């Protein structure tokens, strides 16, 4: 295994440290002098040698937590030195000098400060938002759609929007019209009616595709899976419905469905499927297991002959890649024609990946995150035969929805990547240099759980936002 040492920027001035009780989501502000002194390289090495085995290789994922015993410098020094035997925390007074203990505590504080940047104090006070390069006005296009999971663009300035609860709407002039013929969905947990896209030749065939959590009863138990249906949109009705994909096996869990859909320029349909919470049984299992993977099929559900995996009879399967946790974004990079994906890590380690055929993306063999209960899932962040992510986030932002900016409407953002954040309720802007994220900016802070991001045919960016004011919004640059 390769151990990487990551040294975080040193804080050279006094600051205000925020720490959060995640159960109540209340923020508490404690002003303290945080002047970093001593050898931070040594502190990083001590964390790797003595702390990472229990708390994970990346210090930033360990600090994304509720601090039971306090998170000020004095609290961290006391805990490192004396331990908390009832909580399984050993004392390191005999291991570290007082100077090393303080250095380690200050090193951990830099991680706390990193997490702090994602907690925004103020709710939006207007519909005007400033970024480093552009000021935008947020126009409301639709309201009353509780969880606008997917957005597609119909002709004549009309939208097609899914509500996770199981409704599909046509939206025009801020009016929602329900579409009939949607199948029954398992609208529990993270399940329901999910993504929606148009056939590449929609103008002639009026065919649409949508993903959803499909249920079935087995021995008195309600199981569910990720399924994809295609249908003809005829006015406000769906006709000629046909299921073209079902991910096996069905599961009793109600989370990690994945469910993004995208067509490439060859007319192949890509489908992301989460591992349904069974990390040890699904994402690394091939054969007749479609969970924790990305699939490629033809528009009618048949399988491309050159797909990378074959069944026991030598026939190609829908599997395109594997080792994915919960991919909730798919997009074709219009500049390179590559398939890009984001997926949710556990606590820490959300990823951006470039998807290539036959590739193992590692979950749960490698990860930059730890489990929600604080336990280490794996001590590896890389391994032979596993593709490293292009980019990752610690702490987890819960990415959902993704769009490349190609429009001259946003000349200063052109070529960048936009990703929605469910957890921290903002829009993440990634400036790119080829396949490298060079800079990030947080837009629309506290706008709400940002579920989908699309660039419309009119060149404007549209976002689907959950929350008390659930809505579809359009970003309009202003002088």
């Amino acid at each position: 295994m390769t151990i990487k040492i990551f040294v975080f920027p040193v804080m050279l001035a006094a600051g205000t440290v925020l720490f959060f009780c995640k159960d109540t989501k209340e923020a508490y502000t404690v002003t303290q002098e945080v002047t970093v002194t001593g050898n931070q390289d040594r502190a990083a090495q001590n964390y790797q040698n003595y702390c990472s085995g229990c708390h994970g290789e990346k210090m930033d994922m360990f600090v994304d937590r509720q601090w039971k015993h306090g998170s000020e410098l004095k609290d961290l020094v006391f805990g490192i030195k004396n331990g908390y035997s009832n909580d399984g925390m050993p004392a390191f007074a005999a291991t570290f000098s007082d100077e090393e203990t303080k250095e380690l505590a200050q090193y951990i504080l830099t991680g706390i400060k990193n997490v702090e940047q994602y907690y925004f104090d103020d709710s939006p006070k207007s519909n005007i938002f400033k970024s480093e390069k552009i000021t935008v006005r947020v126009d409301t296009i639709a309201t009353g759609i509780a969880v606008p999971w997917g957005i597609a663009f119909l002709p004549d300035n009309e939208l097609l929007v899914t509500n996770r609860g199981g409704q599909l709407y046509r939206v025009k002039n801020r009016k929602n019209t329900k579409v009939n013929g949607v199948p029954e969905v398992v609208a529990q947990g993270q399940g329901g009616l999910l993504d929606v896209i148009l056939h590449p030749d929609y103008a002639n065939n009026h065919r649409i595709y949508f993903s959803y959590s499909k249920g079935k009863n087995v021995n008195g138990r309600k199981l569910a899976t990720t399924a994809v249906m295609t249908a003809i949109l005829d006015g406000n009705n769906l006709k000629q419905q046909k299921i073209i994909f079902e991910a096996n096996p069905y599961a009793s869990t109600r989370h990690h469905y994945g469910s993004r859909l995208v067509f490439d320029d060859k007319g192949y349909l890509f489908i992301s499927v989460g591992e349904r919470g069974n990390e040890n049984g699904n994402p690394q299992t091939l054969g007749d297991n479609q969970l924790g993977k990305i699939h490629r099929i033809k528009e009618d559900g048949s399988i491309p002959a050159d797909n990378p995996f074959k069944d026991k009879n030598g026939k190609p399967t829908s599997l395109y890649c594997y080792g994915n946790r919960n991919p909730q974004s798919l997009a074709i990079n219009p500049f390179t024609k590559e398939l890009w994906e984001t997926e949710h890590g556990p606590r820490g380690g959300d990823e951006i990946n470039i998807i290539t055929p036959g590739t193992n993306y590692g979950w749960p063999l490698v990860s930059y995150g730890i489990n929600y209960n604080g336990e280490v899932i794996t001590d590896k962040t890389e391994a032979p035969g596993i593709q490293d992510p292009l980019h990752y986030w610690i702490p987890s932002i819960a990415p959902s929805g993704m769009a490349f900016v190609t429009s001259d409407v946003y000349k200063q953002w052109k070529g960048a990547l936009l990703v929605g954040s469910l957890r921290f309720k903002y829009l993440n802007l990634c400036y790119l240099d080829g396949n490298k994220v060079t800079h990030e900016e947080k837009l629309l802070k506290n706008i709400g759980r940002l579920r989908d991001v699309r660039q419309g045919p009119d060149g404007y960016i549209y976002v689907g936002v959950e929350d008390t004011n659930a809505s579809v919004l359009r970003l309009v640059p202003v002088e």
Side-chain angles (χ1 to χ4, degrees):
M1 160 183 139
T2 301
I3 297 292
K4 296 180 180 178
I5 303 300
F6 294 84
V7 180
F8 289 83
V10 175
M11 292 156 44
L12 298 176
T16 299
V17 174
L18 298 179
F19 62 98
F20 294 81
C21 173
K22 294 182 182 177
D23 293 334
T24 63
K25 298 185 179 178
E26 292 182 75
Y28 301 90
T29 304
V30 178
T31 302
Q32 58 176 314
E33 296 295 319
V34 187
T35 303
V36 175
T37 59
N39 188 334
Q40 288 292 281
D41 288 345
R42 179 169 64 182
Q45 187 66 63
N46 281 336
Y47 178 87
Q48 290 291 329
N49 292 340
Y50 295 96
C51 308
S52 63
C54 290
H55 297 305
E57 182 179 340
K58 294 287 288 175
M59 177 270 290
D60 262 15
M61 61 192 178
F62 156 62
V63 300
D64 184 16
R65 61 194 292 121
Q66 180 181 347
W67 290 92
K68 181 178 179 180
H69 301 286
S71 63
E72 296 186 61
L73 180 63
K74 62 181 178 59
D75 302 320
L76 300 176
V77 168
F78 180 90
I80 295 168
K81 190 170 186 178
N82 300 290
Y84 296 101
S85 57
N86 290 340
D87 296 329
M89 169 68 182
F92 286 91
T95 305
F96 301 137
S97 66
D98 287 348
E99 181 181 8
E100 288 174 318
T101 298
K102 186 176 181 181
E103 288 171 353
L104 182 56
Q106 291 170 328
Y107 174 65
I108 291 170
L109 277 177
T110 66
I112 294 174
K113 197 71 176 174
N114 180 54
V115 174
E116 172 196 327
Q117 69 176 301
Y118 289 93
Y119 287 94
F120 314 120
D121 292 333
D122 297 327
S123 296
K125 293 181 172 57
S126 76
N127 66 336
I128 303 296
F129 294 83
K130 292 184 178 180
S131 74
E132 294 173 3
K133 296 183 178 182
I134 303 177
T135 296
V136 296
R137 182 184 75 244
V138 173
D139 289 346
T140 301
I141 303 302
T143 59
I145 302 174
V147 183
W149 214 98
I151 302 170
F153 300 93
L154 297 170
D156 300 322
N157 299 314
E158 190 174 11
L159 302 182
L160 198 60
V161 183
T162 62
N163 179 30
R164 193 174 64 190
Q167 300 78 37
L168 179 64
Y169 294 101
R170 300 184 72 139
V171 177
K172 189 169 186 178
N173 298 327
R174 294 177 173 79
K175 180 182 178 182
N176 306 339
T177 302
K178 187 176 178 180
V179 175
N180 303 308
V182 174
E184 181 181 354
V185 305
V186 181
Q188 299 172 352
Q190 296 175 5
L193 184 60
L194 304 172
D195 207 8
V196 60
I197 60 171
L198 308 185
H199 187 281
D201 193 27
Y202 175 85
N204 293 315
N205 63 24
H206 286 198
R207 183 169 294 279
I208 70 169
Y209 296 77
F210 49 91
S211 58
Y212 66 105
S213 52
K214 181 177 182 292
K216 70 176 180 180
N217 293 309
V218 178
N219 298 325
R221 300 172 64 211
K222 186 64 173 257
L223 306 182
T225 195
T226 300
V228 176
M229 177 177 281
T230 183
I232 301 297
L233 181 61
D234 183 4
N236 298 326
N237 299 286
L238 295 180
K239 297 182 177 180
Q240 302 178 34
Q241 296 97 322
K242 179 185 177 183
I243 295 172
I244 60 171
F245 176 83
E246 290 180 73
N248 289 317
Y250 278 67
S252 60
T253 56
R254 297 292 187 260
H255 59 295
H256 294 186
Y257 288 93
S259 280
R260 285 296 172 191
L261 307 174
V262 67
F263 275 104
D264 69 5
D265 58 1
K266 296 178 182 178
Y268 292 130
L269 175 62
F270 290 88
I271 307 160
S272 74
V273 179
E275 36 79 302
R276 301 301 305 286
N278 184 356
E279 62 205 40
N280 295 317
N282 291 329
Q284 293 294 323
T285 302
L286 300 178
D288 190 27
N289 186 310
Q290 285 88 45
L291 307 182
K293 302 169 181 74
I294 290 172
H295 302 262
R296 185 177 73 156
I297 63 176
K298 295 181 181 180
E299 62 181 66
D300 61 356
S302 60
I303 309 299
D306 61 345
N307 272 9
F309 297 100
K310 306 296 188 289
D311 65 16
K312 60 183 178 181
N313 297 316
K315 293 182 179 180
T317 72
S318 65
L319 269 62
Y320 195 74
C321 71
Y322 65 109
N324 306 100
R325 187 172 182 268
N326 187 25
Q328 290 200 4
S329 306
L330 285 179
I332 300 295
N333 184 326
F335 307 103
T336 66
K337 306 306 179 183
E338 296 167 315
L339 177 63
W340 285 41
E341 170 248 34
T342 73
E343 65 181 75
H344 292 200
R347 183 199 290 176
D350 293 348
E351 298 177 355
I352 301 176
N353 292 299
I354 297 178
I355 300 301
T356 55
T359 303
N360 184 355
Y361 290 88
W363 177 252
L365 305 179
V366 301
S367 178
Y368 285 92
I370 59 178
N371 219 330
Y372 296 111
N373 61 8
E375 294 179 356
V376 174
I377 297 166
T378 172
D379 62 354
K380 296 179 176 64
T381 56
E382 60 180 32
I386 291 175
Q387 179 62 48
D388 292 337
L390 178 150
H391 184 72
Y392 61 89
W393 288 281
I394 298 177
S396 291
I397 68 168
S400 185
M402 174 168 63
F404 288 89
V405 182
T406 63
S407 170
D408 286 334
V409 171
Y410 314 92
K411 290 182 179 180
Q412 297 91 330
W413 292 350
K414 195 170 183 178
L417 178 70
L418 292 168
V419 179
S421 169
L422 292 169
R423 180 184 176 190
F424 293 119
K425 303 181 181 181
Y426 77 99
L427 180 61
N428 196 92
L429 175 64
C430 299
Y431 292 98
L432 302 174
D433 182 3
N435 290 338
K436 182 179 180 181
V437 177
T438 58
H439 177 58
E440 293 179 82
E441 190 177 352
K442 302 174 186 66
L443 313 176
L444 312 185
K445 295 177 183 177
N446 264 345
I447 195 72
R449 284 170 54 84
L450 211 149
R451 173 59 69 180
D452 198 12
V453 187
R454 308 275 174 144
Q455 181 178 287
D458 58 2
Y460 288 97
I461 298 296
Y462 292 76
V463 296
V465 178
E466 303 177 16
D467 235 330
T468 52
N469 297 316
S471 52
V472 176
L473 308 173
R474 179 174 58 198
L475 278 57
V476 180
V478 297
E479 295 297 331

